[in-house]
Amino acid sequence: MISKERIKKIRALHQKKQRELTQEMLVEGTKSCLEVWNSSLEIVSTYVTQDWIDKMDGKLPINIDYEIISQREMGQISALSTPPEVLSVVKIPQYNAAQFDSQQPILVLDAIRDPGNLGTIIRSADWFGIRQIFCSEDCVEFSNPKVIQATMGSFCRVKIVYGDIAELIQNQADRATYGMFLEGKLLREVNFEKNSLIIVGNESEGISKKVEQLIEYKVHIPTGSGAAGAESLNASVATGILLYELSTQQH
Amino acid sequence: MISKERIKKIRALHQKKQRELTQEMLVEGTKSCLEVWNSSLEIVSTYVTQDWIDKMDGKLPINIDYEIISQREMGQISALSTPPEVLSVVKIPQYNAAQFDSQQPILVLDAIRDPGNLGTIIRSADWFGIRQIFCSEDCVEFSNPKVIQATMGSFCRVKIVYGDIAELIQNQADRATYGMFLEGKLLREVNFEKNSLIIVGNESEGISKKVEQLIEYKVHIPTGSGAAGAESLNASVATGILLYELSTQQH
Protein backbone atom coordinates (compact mmCIF):
# COMPACT_ATOMS: atom_id res chain seq x y z
CA MET A 1 0.00 0.00 0.00
CA ILE A 2 1.36 3.37 -1.05
CA SER A 3 -0.19 6.71 -0.10
CA LYS A 4 -1.90 8.92 -2.68
CA GLU A 5 0.54 11.65 -1.76
CA ARG A 6 3.51 9.42 -2.62
CA ILE A 7 1.94 8.24 -5.88
CA LYS A 8 1.51 11.87 -6.83
CA LYS A 9 5.16 12.66 -6.02
CA ILE A 10 6.47 9.74 -8.06
CA ARG A 11 4.15 10.46 -10.99
CA ALA A 12 5.47 14.02 -10.97
CA LEU A 13 8.87 12.57 -11.98
CA HIS A 14 7.38 11.80 -15.40
CA GLN A 15 7.80 15.54 -15.93
CA LYS A 16 11.14 17.16 -16.75
CA LYS A 17 10.43 20.13 -14.47
CA GLN A 18 9.94 17.97 -11.41
CA ARG A 19 13.01 15.86 -12.19
CA GLU A 20 15.08 19.05 -12.36
CA LEU A 21 13.64 20.26 -9.07
CA THR A 22 14.21 17.04 -7.12
CA GLN A 23 17.17 15.65 -9.12
CA GLU A 24 15.40 12.31 -9.06
CA MET A 25 14.35 10.00 -11.91
CA LEU A 26 12.54 6.70 -12.45
CA VAL A 27 14.28 3.46 -13.35
CA GLU A 28 11.83 0.74 -14.39
CA GLY A 29 11.96 -2.99 -15.04
CA THR A 30 14.11 -5.85 -13.83
CA LYS A 31 17.03 -5.37 -16.22
CA SER A 32 17.47 -1.64 -15.54
CA CYS A 33 16.86 -1.96 -11.79
CA LEU A 34 19.42 -4.78 -11.43
CA GLU A 35 21.96 -2.57 -13.22
CA VAL A 36 21.25 0.49 -11.12
CA TRP A 37 21.31 -1.43 -7.82
CA ASN A 38 24.74 -2.75 -8.75
CA SER A 39 26.02 0.70 -9.69
CA SER A 40 27.23 3.53 -7.47
CA LEU A 41 24.06 5.54 -8.14
CA GLU A 42 21.99 6.57 -5.12
CA ILE A 43 18.68 4.74 -4.73
CA VAL A 44 15.91 6.82 -3.14
CA SER A 45 13.11 4.25 -2.97
CA THR A 46 12.10 0.97 -4.60
CA TYR A 47 8.68 -0.56 -5.33
CA VAL A 48 8.00 -4.15 -6.34
CA THR A 49 4.92 -6.30 -6.93
CA GLN A 50 4.27 -9.43 -4.89
CA ASP A 51 4.57 -11.55 -8.06
CA TRP A 52 8.03 -10.21 -8.73
CA ILE A 53 9.32 -10.69 -5.20
CA ASP A 54 7.96 -14.27 -5.28
CA LYS A 55 9.97 -14.90 -8.47
CA MET A 56 13.06 -13.54 -6.68
CA ASP A 57 12.55 -16.03 -3.81
CA GLY A 58 11.19 -13.37 -1.50
CA LYS A 59 14.05 -10.89 -1.48
CA LEU A 60 15.96 -8.36 -3.55
CA PRO A 61 19.42 -9.40 -4.77
CA ILE A 62 20.82 -6.42 -2.88
CA ASN A 63 20.20 -5.12 0.62
CA ILE A 64 18.05 -2.03 0.08
CA ASP A 65 14.66 -0.94 1.40
CA TYR A 66 11.66 -1.66 -0.76
CA GLU A 67 7.88 -1.65 -0.59
CA ILE A 68 5.48 -4.18 -2.04
CA ILE A 69 2.69 -2.49 -3.99
CA SER A 70 -0.15 -3.76 -6.17
CA GLN A 71 0.02 -4.07 -9.96
CA ARG A 72 -2.58 -1.31 -10.09
CA GLU A 73 -0.44 1.03 -7.98
CA MET A 74 2.56 0.18 -10.17
CA GLY A 75 0.49 1.27 -13.17
CA GLN A 76 -0.14 4.58 -11.42
CA ILE A 77 3.51 5.40 -10.76
CA SER A 78 5.00 3.96 -13.98
CA ALA A 79 5.74 6.14 -16.99
CA LEU A 80 5.69 3.16 -19.37
CA SER A 81 2.72 1.99 -21.40
CA THR A 82 3.26 -1.51 -19.99
CA PRO A 83 3.98 -1.05 -16.26
CA PRO A 84 6.98 -2.96 -14.90
CA GLU A 85 7.08 -5.27 -11.88
CA VAL A 86 9.81 -3.26 -10.22
CA LEU A 87 10.66 0.44 -10.13
CA SER A 88 13.30 2.49 -8.32
CA VAL A 89 13.46 6.23 -7.77
CA VAL A 90 17.12 7.16 -8.25
CA LYS A 91 19.18 10.33 -7.81
CA ILE A 92 20.17 11.68 -11.22
CA PRO A 93 23.97 11.34 -11.47
CA GLN A 94 25.76 14.67 -11.89
CA TYR A 95 28.89 14.89 -14.00
CA ASN A 96 30.78 17.76 -15.58
CA ALA A 97 33.14 17.99 -18.53
CA ALA A 98 36.13 18.42 -16.22
CA GLN A 99 35.65 14.77 -15.21
CA PHE A 100 36.13 13.53 -18.77
CA ASP A 101 39.20 11.39 -19.39
CA SER A 102 41.47 13.47 -21.65
CA GLN A 103 42.83 10.35 -23.38
CA GLN A 104 39.43 8.99 -24.38
CA PRO A 105 37.02 10.12 -27.13
CA ILE A 106 33.90 12.15 -26.36
CA LEU A 107 30.68 11.55 -28.27
CA VAL A 108 28.94 14.89 -28.75
CA LEU A 109 25.21 15.08 -29.53
CA ASP A 110 23.74 18.20 -31.09
CA ALA A 111 19.97 18.44 -30.44
CA ILE A 112 19.02 14.76 -30.36
CA ARG A 113 15.32 15.09 -29.46
CA ASP A 114 13.89 11.59 -29.64
CA PRO A 115 14.11 9.71 -26.32
CA GLY A 116 14.42 6.34 -28.07
CA ASN A 117 17.31 7.63 -30.16
CA LEU A 118 19.19 9.08 -27.18
CA GLY A 119 18.70 5.91 -25.14
CA THR A 120 19.84 3.72 -28.04
CA ILE A 121 22.90 5.92 -28.59
CA ILE A 122 23.88 5.62 -24.90
CA ARG A 123 23.49 1.83 -25.19
CA SER A 124 25.70 1.69 -28.31
CA ALA A 125 28.32 3.95 -26.69
CA ASP A 126 28.47 1.59 -23.72
CA TRP A 127 28.83 -1.44 -26.04
CA PHE A 128 31.72 0.16 -27.90
CA GLY A 129 33.43 1.38 -24.72
CA ILE A 130 32.70 5.10 -25.15
CA ARG A 131 32.11 6.29 -21.60
CA GLN A 132 31.71 10.03 -22.08
CA ILE A 133 28.85 11.78 -23.89
CA PHE A 134 28.32 15.52 -24.16
CA CYS A 135 24.80 16.72 -25.07
CA SER A 136 23.73 20.18 -26.20
CA GLU A 137 21.17 21.76 -23.88
CA ASP A 138 18.42 21.12 -26.44
CA CYS A 139 18.91 17.35 -26.43
CA VAL A 140 16.21 15.42 -24.59
CA GLU A 141 17.23 14.85 -20.93
CA PHE A 142 18.69 11.42 -20.27
CA SER A 143 16.55 11.21 -17.12
CA ASN A 144 13.43 10.95 -19.33
CA PRO A 145 11.89 7.53 -18.57
CA LYS A 146 11.86 6.54 -22.26
CA VAL A 147 15.58 7.32 -22.57
CA ILE A 148 16.36 5.29 -19.45
CA GLN A 149 14.34 2.38 -20.80
CA ALA A 150 16.06 2.42 -24.21
CA THR A 151 19.54 2.41 -22.64
CA MET A 152 18.91 -1.07 -21.16
CA GLY A 153 20.96 -0.16 -18.11
CA SER A 154 23.83 1.50 -19.97
CA PHE A 155 23.04 4.89 -18.35
CA CYS A 156 24.82 3.49 -15.26
CA ARG A 157 28.16 3.25 -17.06
CA VAL A 158 28.33 6.34 -19.27
CA LYS A 159 29.06 9.89 -18.02
CA ILE A 160 26.57 12.23 -19.66
CA VAL A 161 27.09 15.99 -19.44
CA TYR A 162 24.88 18.79 -20.83
CA GLY A 163 26.22 22.13 -22.00
CA ASP A 164 27.26 24.34 -24.89
CA ILE A 165 29.04 22.45 -27.69
CA ALA A 166 30.93 25.52 -28.96
CA GLU A 167 32.36 26.05 -25.47
CA LEU A 168 33.31 22.38 -25.21
CA ILE A 169 35.20 22.50 -28.49
CA GLN A 170 37.02 25.65 -27.38
CA ASN A 171 37.86 24.19 -23.96
CA GLN A 172 39.10 20.94 -25.48
CA ALA A 173 41.31 22.50 -28.13
CA ASP A 174 43.80 19.61 -28.08
CA ARG A 175 41.16 17.22 -29.40
CA ALA A 176 40.50 16.75 -33.13
CA THR A 177 36.81 17.37 -34.04
CA TYR A 178 34.90 15.13 -36.43
CA GLY A 179 31.28 15.69 -37.48
CA MET A 180 28.76 13.42 -39.23
CA PHE A 181 27.32 14.98 -42.37
CA LEU A 182 25.65 13.88 -45.58
CA GLU A 183 28.90 14.62 -47.38
CA GLY A 184 32.59 14.65 -46.47
CA LYS A 185 35.26 11.99 -46.19
CA LEU A 186 34.09 8.37 -46.32
CA LEU A 187 33.81 7.07 -42.77
CA ARG A 188 35.95 4.01 -43.58
CA GLU A 189 38.83 6.25 -44.71
CA VAL A 190 38.95 8.47 -41.65
CA ASN A 191 41.73 7.91 -39.12
CA PHE A 192 40.28 9.04 -35.83
CA GLU A 193 42.63 10.43 -33.21
CA LYS A 194 42.40 8.51 -29.97
CA ASN A 195 40.85 11.37 -27.99
CA SER A 196 38.52 12.66 -30.72
CA LEU A 197 35.45 14.81 -30.28
CA ILE A 198 32.86 13.11 -32.49
CA ILE A 199 29.76 15.13 -33.22
CA VAL A 200 26.36 13.84 -34.37
CA GLY A 201 23.48 16.14 -35.24
CA ASN A 202 19.73 16.38 -34.93
CA GLU A 203 17.38 13.80 -36.48
CA SER A 204 16.10 16.08 -39.24
CA GLU A 205 18.37 19.15 -39.27
CA GLY A 206 21.77 17.50 -38.76
CA ILE A 207 24.56 19.47 -37.07
CA SER A 208 23.71 23.14 -36.41
CA LYS A 209 25.48 25.87 -38.42
CA LYS A 210 27.07 27.29 -35.29
CA VAL A 211 28.72 23.96 -34.46
CA GLU A 212 29.50 23.05 -38.09
CA GLN A 213 31.96 25.94 -38.47
CA LEU A 214 34.00 24.66 -35.52
CA ILE A 215 34.43 21.15 -36.97
CA GLU A 216 37.74 20.17 -38.59
CA TYR A 217 36.79 16.94 -40.34
CA LYS A 218 33.49 16.19 -42.09
CA VAL A 219 32.68 12.51 -42.27
CA HIS A 220 29.88 10.64 -44.02
CA ILE A 221 28.43 7.17 -44.34
CA PRO A 222 28.00 6.43 -48.05
CA THR A 223 24.88 4.82 -49.48
CA GLY A 224 25.20 1.36 -51.00
CA SER A 225 25.82 0.86 -54.71
CA GLY A 226 22.25 -0.21 -55.44
CA ALA A 227 20.65 2.56 -53.36
CA ALA A 228 18.13 4.94 -54.87
CA GLY A 229 16.08 7.15 -52.69
CA ALA A 230 16.64 6.98 -48.94
CA GLU A 231 17.53 10.47 -47.74
CA SER A 232 19.24 9.58 -44.51
CA LEU A 233 19.82 6.99 -41.83
CA ASN A 234 18.14 7.03 -38.44
CA ALA A 235 20.32 9.09 -36.06
CA SER A 236 20.92 6.22 -33.64
CA VAL A 237 21.84 3.83 -36.48
CA ALA A 238 24.27 6.37 -37.99
CA THR A 239 25.85 6.89 -34.56
CA GLY A 240 26.12 3.12 -34.03
CA ILE A 241 27.96 2.75 -37.34
CA LEU A 242 30.29 5.61 -36.45
CA LEU A 243 31.13 4.08 -33.06
CA TYR A 244 31.66 0.68 -34.68
CA GLU A 245 34.17 2.18 -37.10
CA LEU A 246 35.94 4.10 -34.33
CA SER A 247 36.07 1.02 -32.12
CA THR A 248 37.31 -1.26 -34.91
CA GLN A 249 40.18 1.13 -35.65
CA GLN A 250 41.24 1.23 -32.02
CA HIS A 251 41.22 -2.52 -31.45
CA MET B 1 -16.40 16.33 -44.14
CA ILE B 2 -15.99 12.61 -43.84
CA SER B 3 -18.78 10.22 -42.82
CA LYS B 4 -18.70 8.40 -39.49
CA GLU B 5 -18.89 5.16 -41.43
CA ARG B 6 -15.72 6.02 -43.35
CA ILE B 7 -13.87 7.17 -40.21
CA LYS B 8 -14.70 3.82 -38.67
CA LYS B 9 -13.40 1.92 -41.73
CA ILE B 10 -10.12 3.83 -41.79
CA ARG B 11 -9.64 3.53 -38.02
CA ALA B 12 -10.11 -0.21 -38.41
CA LEU B 13 -6.85 -0.24 -40.42
CA HIS B 14 -4.99 0.46 -37.16
CA GLN B 15 -5.67 -3.23 -36.48
CA LYS B 16 -3.66 -6.02 -38.10
CA LYS B 17 -6.77 -8.14 -38.63
CA GLN B 18 -8.53 -5.51 -40.70
CA ARG B 19 -5.40 -4.77 -42.74
CA GLU B 20 -5.16 -8.47 -43.60
CA LEU B 21 -8.82 -8.56 -44.56
CA THR B 22 -8.74 -5.49 -46.81
CA GLN B 23 -5.06 -5.57 -47.82
CA GLU B 24 -4.98 -1.85 -47.14
CA MET B 25 -2.73 0.20 -44.84
CA LEU B 26 -2.26 3.81 -43.70
CA VAL B 27 0.57 6.03 -44.89
CA GLU B 28 0.82 9.23 -42.85
CA GLY B 29 2.66 12.54 -43.10
CA THR B 30 4.07 14.61 -45.95
CA LYS B 31 7.36 12.75 -46.37
CA SER B 32 5.84 9.27 -46.53
CA CYS B 33 2.87 10.36 -48.67
CA LEU B 34 5.12 12.10 -51.22
CA GLU B 35 7.14 8.91 -51.48
CA VAL B 36 4.13 6.66 -51.89
CA TRP B 37 2.46 8.93 -54.47
CA ASN B 38 5.63 8.78 -56.54
CA SER B 39 5.86 5.00 -56.26
CA SER B 40 4.00 2.31 -58.18
CA LEU B 41 1.88 1.49 -55.12
CA GLU B 42 -1.89 1.73 -55.48
CA ILE B 43 -3.50 4.65 -53.63
CA VAL B 44 -7.03 3.95 -52.39
CA SER B 45 -7.92 7.33 -50.88
CA THR B 46 -6.19 10.46 -49.59
CA TYR B 47 -7.14 12.96 -46.89
CA VAL B 48 -5.55 16.35 -46.30
CA THR B 49 -6.20 19.33 -44.04
CA GLN B 50 -6.97 22.78 -45.45
CA ASP B 51 -3.77 24.14 -43.86
CA TRP B 52 -1.69 21.56 -45.69
CA ILE B 53 -3.30 22.11 -49.07
CA ASP B 54 -2.78 25.87 -48.64
CA LYS B 55 0.92 25.25 -48.04
CA MET B 56 1.00 23.16 -51.24
CA ASP B 57 -0.51 26.09 -53.21
CA GLY B 58 -3.93 24.49 -53.36
CA LYS B 59 -3.10 21.19 -55.03
CA LEU B 60 -1.37 17.86 -54.63
CA PRO B 61 1.92 17.39 -56.46
CA ILE B 62 0.33 14.44 -58.26
CA ASN B 63 -3.03 14.01 -59.95
CA ILE B 64 -4.99 11.84 -57.54
CA ASP B 65 -8.33 12.25 -55.80
CA TYR B 66 -8.29 13.64 -52.29
CA GLU B 67 -10.66 15.00 -49.68
CA ILE B 68 -10.16 17.95 -47.38
CA ILE B 69 -11.00 17.06 -43.78
CA SER B 70 -10.68 18.91 -40.47
CA GLN B 71 -7.73 18.54 -38.10
CA ARG B 72 -10.15 16.90 -35.68
CA GLU B 73 -11.22 14.33 -38.27
CA MET B 74 -7.55 13.69 -39.09
CA GLY B 75 -7.02 12.97 -35.40
CA GLN B 76 -9.82 10.42 -35.60
CA ILE B 77 -8.40 8.46 -38.54
CA SER B 78 -4.68 8.74 -37.68
CA ALA B 79 -2.83 6.00 -35.83
CA LEU B 80 -0.08 8.40 -34.69
CA SER B 81 0.03 10.21 -31.35
CA THR B 82 0.57 13.46 -33.27
CA PRO B 83 -1.88 13.37 -36.22
CA PRO B 84 -0.40 14.27 -39.61
CA GLU B 85 -1.72 16.86 -42.09
CA VAL B 86 -2.00 14.29 -44.86
CA LEU B 87 -2.86 10.60 -44.92
CA SER B 88 -3.32 8.06 -47.71
CA VAL B 89 -4.94 4.65 -47.59
CA VAL B 90 -2.74 2.42 -49.75
CA LYS B 91 -2.95 -1.16 -51.04
CA ILE B 92 -0.37 -3.30 -49.24
CA PRO B 93 2.18 -4.35 -51.87
CA GLN B 94 2.38 -8.12 -52.34
CA TYR B 95 5.68 -9.76 -53.16
CA ASN B 96 6.95 -13.30 -52.99
CA ALA B 97 10.41 -14.80 -52.68
CA ALA B 98 10.37 -15.89 -56.33
CA GLN B 99 10.62 -12.19 -57.24
CA PHE B 100 13.92 -11.78 -55.39
CA ASP B 101 16.96 -10.99 -57.55
CA SER B 102 19.18 -14.06 -57.32
CA GLN B 103 22.34 -11.93 -57.66
CA GLN B 104 21.51 -9.64 -54.73
CA PRO B 105 21.68 -10.28 -50.98
CA ILE B 106 18.58 -10.91 -48.91
CA LEU B 107 18.24 -9.53 -45.40
CA VAL B 108 16.38 -12.09 -43.27
CA LEU B 109 14.66 -11.06 -40.02
CA ASP B 110 13.81 -13.67 -37.41
CA ALA B 111 11.04 -12.46 -35.07
CA ILE B 112 11.70 -8.71 -35.04
CA ARG B 113 8.74 -7.56 -32.92
CA ASP B 114 9.24 -3.88 -32.32
CA PRO B 115 7.64 -1.69 -35.03
CA GLY B 116 10.27 1.03 -34.62
CA ASN B 117 13.04 -1.52 -35.09
CA LEU B 118 11.51 -3.03 -38.23
CA GLY B 119 10.86 0.39 -39.74
CA THR B 120 14.39 1.54 -38.98
CA ILE B 121 15.84 -1.66 -40.47
CA ILE B 122 13.86 -1.14 -43.70
CA ARG B 123 15.17 2.45 -43.84
CA SER B 124 18.78 1.29 -43.35
CA ALA B 125 18.37 -1.46 -45.97
CA ASP B 126 17.15 1.14 -48.46
CA TRP B 127 20.11 3.44 -47.66
CA PHE B 128 22.61 0.64 -48.23
CA GLY B 129 20.89 -0.58 -51.40
CA ILE B 130 19.46 -3.81 -49.98
CA ARG B 131 16.12 -4.15 -51.75
CA GLN B 132 14.92 -7.53 -50.53
CA ILE B 133 13.91 -8.42 -46.98
CA PHE B 134 12.48 -11.72 -45.80
CA CYS B 135 10.62 -11.73 -42.47
CA SER B 136 9.58 -14.72 -40.38
CA GLU B 137 5.82 -14.89 -39.82
CA ASP B 138 6.27 -13.74 -36.23
CA CYS B 139 7.89 -10.45 -37.19
CA VAL B 140 5.63 -7.41 -36.77
CA GLU B 141 3.79 -6.68 -40.06
CA PHE B 142 5.40 -3.92 -42.12
CA SER B 143 1.91 -2.49 -42.73
CA ASN B 144 1.78 -1.51 -39.02
CA PRO B 145 1.48 2.33 -38.99
CA LYS B 146 4.49 2.67 -36.64
CA VAL B 147 6.64 0.58 -38.99
CA ILE B 148 5.57 2.67 -41.99
CA GLN B 149 6.37 5.86 -40.10
CA ALA B 150 9.83 4.68 -39.02
CA THR B 151 10.78 3.70 -42.61
CA MET B 152 10.57 7.38 -43.69
CA GLY B 153 9.25 6.29 -47.09
CA SER B 154 11.71 3.45 -47.63
CA PHE B 155 8.89 0.87 -47.62
CA CYS B 156 8.20 1.99 -51.20
CA ARG B 157 11.56 0.75 -52.44
CA VAL B 158 12.16 -2.49 -50.57
CA LYS B 159 10.45 -5.81 -51.36
CA ILE B 160 9.33 -7.35 -48.08
CA VAL B 161 8.17 -10.97 -48.01
CA TYR B 162 6.87 -12.98 -45.03
CA GLY B 163 7.34 -16.72 -44.68
CA ASP B 164 9.26 -19.59 -43.14
CA ILE B 165 13.00 -18.92 -42.85
CA ALA B 166 13.97 -22.61 -42.88
CA GLU B 167 12.11 -23.06 -46.17
CA LEU B 168 13.77 -19.97 -47.62
CA ILE B 169 17.23 -21.28 -46.75
CA GLN B 170 16.40 -24.66 -48.31
CA ASN B 171 14.94 -23.06 -51.44
CA GLN B 172 17.93 -20.73 -51.86
CA ALA B 173 20.61 -23.37 -51.39
CA ASP B 174 23.06 -21.57 -53.70
CA ARG B 175 23.30 -18.65 -51.29
CA ALA B 176 25.77 -18.56 -48.39
CA THR B 177 24.02 -17.99 -45.04
CA TYR B 178 25.39 -15.64 -42.38
CA GLY B 179 23.80 -15.04 -38.98
CA MET B 180 24.38 -12.35 -36.34
CA PHE B 181 25.24 -13.77 -32.95
CA LEU B 182 26.95 -12.69 -29.75
CA GLU B 183 29.92 -14.80 -30.77
CA GLY B 184 31.45 -15.98 -34.05
CA LYS B 185 33.76 -14.43 -36.61
CA LEU B 186 34.46 -10.70 -36.25
CA LEU B 187 32.17 -8.83 -38.64
CA ARG B 188 35.10 -6.91 -40.14
CA GLU B 189 36.84 -10.14 -41.10
CA VAL B 190 33.92 -11.76 -42.88
CA ASN B 191 33.95 -11.81 -46.68
CA PHE B 192 30.31 -11.82 -47.65
CA GLU B 193 29.31 -13.50 -50.87
CA LYS B 194 27.50 -11.12 -53.18
CA ASN B 195 24.16 -12.91 -52.95
CA SER B 196 24.28 -13.73 -49.24
CA LEU B 197 21.39 -14.55 -46.96
CA ILE B 198 22.04 -12.42 -43.89
CA ILE B 199 20.02 -13.30 -40.82
CA VAL B 200 19.29 -11.10 -37.82
CA GLY B 201 17.39 -12.34 -34.77
CA ASN B 202 14.86 -11.20 -32.23
CA GLU B 203 15.49 -8.22 -29.90
CA SER B 204 15.92 -10.32 -26.76
CA GLU B 205 16.22 -13.95 -27.89
CA GLY B 206 18.45 -13.55 -30.96
CA ILE B 207 18.18 -16.09 -33.79
CA SER B 208 15.92 -19.06 -33.02
CA LYS B 209 17.46 -22.52 -32.51
CA LYS B 210 15.63 -23.88 -35.53
CA VAL B 211 17.18 -21.29 -37.82
CA GLU B 212 20.59 -21.32 -36.10
CA GLN B 213 21.31 -24.90 -37.15
CA LEU B 214 20.85 -23.95 -40.82
CA ILE B 215 23.38 -21.11 -40.73
CA GLU B 216 26.86 -21.62 -42.19
CA TYR B 217 28.70 -18.58 -40.82
CA LYS B 218 28.27 -17.03 -37.39
CA VAL B 219 29.21 -13.37 -37.28
CA HIS B 220 29.48 -10.93 -34.39
CA ILE B 221 30.08 -7.28 -33.68
CA PRO B 222 32.76 -7.05 -30.98
CA THR B 223 32.51 -4.69 -28.03
CA GLY B 224 35.01 -1.85 -27.79
CA SER B 225 38.23 -2.20 -25.85
CA GLY B 226 37.03 -0.09 -22.92
CA ALA B 227 33.61 -1.73 -22.72
CA ALA B 228 32.36 -3.27 -19.49
CA GLY B 229 28.78 -4.25 -19.12
CA ALA B 230 26.46 -3.69 -22.08
CA GLU B 231 24.91 -7.03 -22.98
CA SER B 232 23.88 -6.30 -26.55
CA LEU B 233 23.21 -3.69 -29.17
CA ASN B 234 19.75 -2.57 -30.22
CA ALA B 235 18.60 -4.85 -33.08
CA SER B 236 18.21 -2.03 -35.60
CA VAL B 237 21.65 -0.61 -34.73
CA ALA B 238 23.29 -4.06 -35.07
CA THR B 239 21.57 -4.53 -38.44
CA GLY B 240 22.68 -1.08 -39.59
CA ILE B 241 26.29 -1.92 -38.74
CA LEU B 242 26.02 -5.24 -40.58
CA LEU B 243 24.61 -3.58 -43.70
CA TYR B 244 27.30 -0.89 -43.54
CA GLU B 245 30.00 -3.55 -43.49
CA LEU B 246 28.38 -5.51 -46.33
CA SER B 247 27.95 -2.36 -48.40
CA THR B 248 31.50 -1.14 -47.77
CA GLN B 249 32.91 -4.48 -48.95
CA GLN B 250 30.90 -4.37 -52.15
CA HIS B 251 31.79 -0.80 -53.10
Side-chain angles (χ1 to χ4, degrees):
Chain A
M1 184 66 189
I2 175 173
S3 72
K4 281 195 177 157
E5 185 61 25
R6 189 100 65 87
I7 288 176
K8 205 174 147 192
K9 272 194 178 169
I10 299 174
R11 279 187 67 83
L13 298 177
H14 299 188
Q15 307 304 322
K16 176 180 177 179
K17 192 178 154 191
Q18 193 62 19
R19 291 194 299 272
E20 285 178 345
L21 205 65
T22 60
Q23 286 301 311
E24 293 176 359
M25 64 181 184
L26 302 182
V27 175
E28 307 194 42
T30 304
K31 162 82 180 150
S32 293
C33 282
L34 288 176
E35 294 261 16
V36 82
W37 297 339
N38 284 306
S39 76
S40 60
L41 272 59
E42 184 183 341
I43 315 296
V44 177
S45 54
T46 293
Y47 305 90
V48 305
T49 62
Q50 187 64 53
D51 278 359
W52 187 85
I53 203 84
D54 289 347
K55 274 191 276 184
M56 301 302 271
D57 292 331
K59 65 178 169 58
L60 264 60
I62 182 173
N63 185 24
I64 52 169
D65 290 336
Y66 64 93
E67 278 180 60
I68 295 174
I69 63 175
S70 69
Q71 194 59 50
R72 192 173 146 271
E73 289 165 332
M74 192 62 91
Q76 290 175 318
I77 62 174
S78 170
L80 304 180
S81 50
T82 309
E85 295 180 293
V86 49
L87 178 153
S88 280
V89 177
V90 175
K91 280 282 171 197
I92 299 175
Q94 303 292 337
Y95 304 106
N96 61 65
Q99 291 170 282
F100 283 158
D101 182 334
S102 62
Q103 300 306 306
Q104 294 294 323
I106 303 171
L107 176 62
V108 180
L109 305 177
D110 189 6
I112 293 290
R113 315 262 188 184
D114 180 85
N117 280 344
L118 179 58
T120 303
I121 288 170
I122 294 168
R123 182 178 173 188
S124 299
D126 186 26
W127 178 265
F128 288 116
I130 307 296
R131 314 294 279 277
Q132 23 202 40
I133 295 181
F134 189 92
C135 294
S136 66
E137 297 285 5
D138 52 357
C139 283
V140 59
E141 334 81 65
F142 78 89
S143 63
N144 178 304
K146 288 180 187 165
V147 177
I148 294 293
Q149 195 195 19
T151 71
M152 298 292 279
S154 290
F155 69 93
C156 296
R157 284 178 296 271
V158 177
K159 288 193 177 75
I160 306 162
V161 175
Y162 284 72
D164 185 274
I165 296 178
E167 269 180 37
L168 177 82
I169 295 175
Q170 279 147 14
N171 292 341
Q172 306 266 345
D174 56 326
R175 293 180 187 260
T177 51
Y178 303 82
M180 287 278 276
F181 291 89
L182 287 172
E183 83 284 311
K185 197 163 181 180
L186 291 180
L187 175 60
R188 180 62 51 100
E189 293 169 7
V190 176
N191 289 309
F192 290 98
E193 307 244 348
K194 186 151 174 54
N195 67 346
S196 305
L197 282 183
I198 299 167
I199 303 164
V200 174
N202 171 263
E203 287 88 349
S204 53
E205 311 287 326
I207 293 174
S208 58
K209 289 285 165 220
K210 185 185 162 198
V211 172
E212 180 176 351
Q213 64 193 17
L214 300 170
I215 290 174
E216 291 167 271
Y217 305 104
K218 289 192 178 187
V219 175
H220 92 287
I221 299 171
T223 60
S225 51
E231 283 174 21
S232 62
L233 286 165
N234 166 282
S236 68
V237 171
T239 308
I241 293 169
L242 178 68
L243 297 178
Y244 164 73
E245 190 63 54
L246 179 72
S247 160
T248 304
Q249 284 188 12
Q250 299 187 346
H251 251 289
Chain B
M1 185 63 190
I2 176 172
S3 71
K4 280 193 178 158
E5 185 61 26
R6 189 100 66 86
I7 288 176
K8 205 175 147 193
K9 273 194 178 170
I10 299 174
R11 278 187 68 83
L13 298 176
H14 299 188
Q15 306 305 321
K16 176 180 178 179
K17 193 179 154 191
Q18 193 62 20
R19 290 195 298 272
E20 285 177 347
L21 206 65
T22 60
Q23 287 301 313
E24 294 174 359
M25 64 180 184
L26 303 182
V27 175
E28 307 194 44
T30 304
K31 162 82 179 151
S32 293
C33 283
L34 288 175
E35 295 259 14
V36 82
W37 297 339
N38 284 307
S39 76
S40 60
L41 272 58
E42 185 184 341
I43 314 297
V44 178
S45 54
T46 294
Y47 306 89
V48 305
T49 62
Q50 187 64 54
D51 277 0
W52 188 85
I53 202 84
D54 289 347
K55 275 192 274 183
M56 301 301 272
D57 293 331
K59 65 179 169 57
L60 263 60
I62 181 172
N63 186 23
I64 52 168
D65 290 337
Y66 65 93
E67 279 180 59
I68 296 174
I69 64 175
S70 69
Q71 193 60 48
R72 192 174 146 272
E73 289 165 331
M74 192 62 91
Q76 290 174 319
I77 61 175
S78 171
L80 305 180
S81 50
T82 308
E85 295 179 293
V86 49
L87 179 154
S88 280
V89 177
V90 175
K91 279 282 170 198
I92 299 175
Q94 303 293 338
Y95 304 106
N96 61 66
Q99 291 170 283
F100 283 157
D101 182 335
S102 62
Q103 299 308 304
Q104 295 294 323
I106 302 172
L107 177 62
V108 180
L109 305 177
D110 189 4
I112 293 290
R113 314 262 187 184
D114 180 85
N117 280 344
L118 179 58
T120 303
I121 288 171
I122 295 169
R123 181 178 175 188
S124 298
D126 186 27
W127 177 265
F128 288 117
I130 307 296
R131 313 295 279 277
Q132 23 203 42
I133 296 180
F134 189 92
C135 294
S136 66
E137 297 285 5
D138 52 356
C139 284
V140 59
E141 334 81 64
F142 78 89
S143 62
N144 178 305
K146 287 180 188 165
V147 177
I148 294 292
Q149 194 193 20
T151 71
M152 298 292 279
S154 290
F155 70 93
C156 296
R157 284 179 295 273
V158 178
K159 289 192 176 76
I160 305 161
V161 174
Y162 285 71
D164 185 274
I165 296 177
E167 270 181 38
L168 176 82
I169 295 175
Q170 279 148 14
N171 292 340
Q172 307 265 345
D174 57 325
R175 296 179 186 260
T177 50
Y178 303 82
M180 288 278 276
F181 291 89
L182 287 171
E183 82 284 313
K185 198 163 181 183
L186 291 180
L187 175 60
R188 180 62 51 98
E189 293 170 7
V190 176
N191 289 309
F192 290 98
E193 307 246 347
K194 186 151 172 56
N195 68 345
S196 307
L197 283 183
I198 299 166
I199 303 164
V200 175
N202 172 263
E203 287 89 348
S204 54
E205 311 288 327
I207 292 174
S208 58
K209 289 285 165 218
K210 185 185 162 196
V211 172
E212 180 176 351
Q213 62 193 19
L214 301 171
I215 291 174
E216 290 167 272
Y217 306 104
K218 289 192 179 188
V219 175
H220 92 286
I221 299 171
T223 60
S225 51
E231 282 174 22
S232 63
L233 286 165
N234 166 282
S236 68
V237 171
T239 308
I241 292 170
L242 177 69
L243 297 179
Y244 164 73
E245 190 63 54
L246 179 72
S247 160
T248 304
Q249 285 189 11
Q250 299 188 345
H251 251 288

